[in-house]
Amino acid sequence: MIIKKVAASVFAAILIIISTAPAASASSGINYLALGDSLAAGQTPNREIGASYTDLIALALGQSGSLENFSKQFAIPGYTTGQVLEQLKKKEVQKAVKQADLMTISAGANDLLRIVKNDSVRGILTYDAIPAAYSLNKVRENYVLLFEQLNQLNPNADIYAMGYYFPYPHVHDQHKPSVNEQLQILNQIIQQEAERAGATFVPVADSFGTSAKQLIPNPKDVHPSSSGYLEMANSFLAVYRPGGMKIPASALDQLPPPVSFSKLRELQPQTSSENETEAEIEADETEEGQENTAEPEEVSQSSQQAPLRACSKQEVLAMN
């Protein structure tokens, strides 16, 4: 599919960077597999696919001489935890999981953020609290199954579950706490289920805070800039090898340029043998970060406008 081809071309350019940098020797190379949503794929704030935190992790591992292979071909913009779980039924995905030594997962934000409406013009966030609680509970259920299946397919792989940052730094401050609390609950769920399954959680929220306009520059989009992806990659490396390697900001100047969604559509063949859908090329505008707005008269009475009381972890668990 087109996403896979773009992912391969991006990493091919990364490999050139790695090959021109001094590398330490390693006794055995790491096979690194990235799974998940648009953050794993490398979606930019401008509807493009480029270098993700996953590419930057691969770059760091390559420069240290410990990387043998890297793939993010199964990281698809718009994917929820349920879709990542469904993806594990495919033989090619199972094969990649079985061959991996290291896996990172970004999944869960699309389950929650599709409920959040971002009015970037007025700087307002609204969401329905009850559907949000159900979505968070579903994330927990899916992560339990996801880790079970990954461990069954490959009990020896090191699995790292990535946390999420607050993606709305441009809204008014009084509209941040409620949605941010929901995201904190999401991160708690991912961390708890990762640790129960013997995986490792990678926190990234503190690296961004709630006012990271430089890292999330587009008020209408939740995806980070290359500097934001660098923060995520270094957050991973801080957990993966504490006190060890850190990717310098200068590495961003060497990254290949991203490819726009419009270009991806041009590259897509008229008939795809893999039945690639538009959702696999680009994220839906009401999911995966594009502005999800509603005029005041279209917001239902059950919709709540931040600031409001967020659902607690106990309330989420009570949905079982």
Side-chain angles (χ1 to χ4, degrees):
M1 59 176 63
I2 299 301
I3 286 288
K4 293 181 182 178
K5 292 178 181 178
V6 172
S9 64
V10 169
F11 186 58
I14 294 288
L15 285 176
I16 295 174
I17 300 171
I18 293 173
S19 65
T20 58
S25 60
S27 56
S28 61
I30 294 173
N31 189 336
Y32 170 31
L33 174 66
L35 300 172
D37 55 25
S38 61
L39 295 185
Q43 186 168 333
T44 76
N46 302 307
R47 299 179 66 76
E48 303 163 317
I49 295 294
S52 166
Y53 73 87
T54 59
D55 298 275
L56 291 168
I57 291 171
L59 174 62
L61 295 175
Q63 290 181 335
S64 69
S66 56
L67 182 71
E68 180 176 330
N69 184 59
F70 163 61
S71 174
K72 65 173 185 179
Q73 64 176 318
F74 303 116
I76 306 296
Y79 263 26
T80 62
T81 54
Q83 288 171 306
V84 175
L85 191 60
E86 185 70 17
Q87 190 182 46
L88 287 179
K89 296 179 181 179
K90 298 179 179 179
K91 291 183 179 180
E92 61 178 337
V93 180
Q94 293 179 0
K95 180 179 178 180
V97 169
K98 290 177 181 179
Q99 294 176 340
D101 302 300
L102 169 66
M103 285 184 275
T104 56
I105 306 171
S106 286
N110 288 318
D111 299 70
L112 178 64
L113 296 187
R114 63 178 58 200
I115 297 168
V116 178
K117 295 180 175 64
N118 171 27
D119 186 337
S120 63
V121 176
R122 294 184 295 173
I124 294 173
L125 297 174
T126 59
Y127 74 96
D128 291 320
I130 293 177
Y134 275 106
S135 293
L136 289 169
N137 192 57
K138 191 63 177 177
V139 167
R140 184 183 295 279
E141 293 174 357
N142 286 339
Y143 259 107
V144 171
L145 296 173
L146 181 59
F147 285 128
E148 284 180 358
Q149 292 190 24
L150 290 175
N151 283 326
Q152 287 174 3
L153 289 167
N154 189 343
N156 298 316
D158 294 323
I159 304 173
Y160 289 78
M162 301 296 293
Y164 286 95
Y165 52 83
F166 180 75
Y168 304 109
H170 300 272
V171 303
H172 297 303
D173 287 344
Q174 63 266 34
H175 293 280
K176 295 178 180 180
S178 181
V179 172
N180 189 42
E181 186 169 349
Q182 298 296 309
L183 283 158
Q184 289 175 355
I185 295 173
L186 173 64
N187 283 328
Q188 289 170 7
I189 289 171
I190 297 172
Q191 181 175 7
Q192 289 167 1
E193 298 312 320
E195 292 175 350
R196 287 191 182 111
T200 303
F201 176 72
V202 178
V204 302
D206 289 346
S207 298
F208 282 73
T210 59
S211 301
K213 294 180 181 179
Q214 294 297 319
L215 301 180
I216 311 168
N218 187 347
K220 297 182 179 181
D221 193 283
V222 302
H223 297 93
S225 63
S226 56
S227 296
Y229 280 123
L230 179 65
E231 287 289 342
M232 294 183 70
N234 280 329
S235 293
F236 168 84
L237 293 172
V239 174
Y240 183 67
R241 291 181 181 171
M245 68 181 82
K246 186 175 181 180
I247 307 169
S250 58
L252 300 180
D253 298 330
Q254 306 175 60
L255 296 178
V259 180
S260 69
F261 284 148
S262 59
K263 183 64 175 178
L264 290 177
R265 281 192 292 267
E266 292 175 8
L267 294 172
Q268 184 181 15
Q270 293 298 317
T271 302
S272 174
S273 60
E274 294 176 294
N275 294 320
E276 181 179 28
T277 65
E278 188 74 9
E280 290 175 320
I281 296 181
E282 62 179 300
D284 186 271
E285 289 188 356
T286 59
E287 301 171 12
E288 210 36 60
Q290 287 299 312
E291 184 173 22
N292 185 7
T293 62
E295 293 301 320
E297 64 270 20
E298 295 175 340
V299 179
S300 67
Q301 292 182 354
S302 64
S303 178
Q304 301 188 38
Q305 178 171 302
L308 47 82
R309 185 185 64 80
C311 296
S312 66
K313 181 173 70 177
Q314 289 74 20
E315 290 172 318
V316 172
L317 293 174
M319 294 295 175
N320 285 322

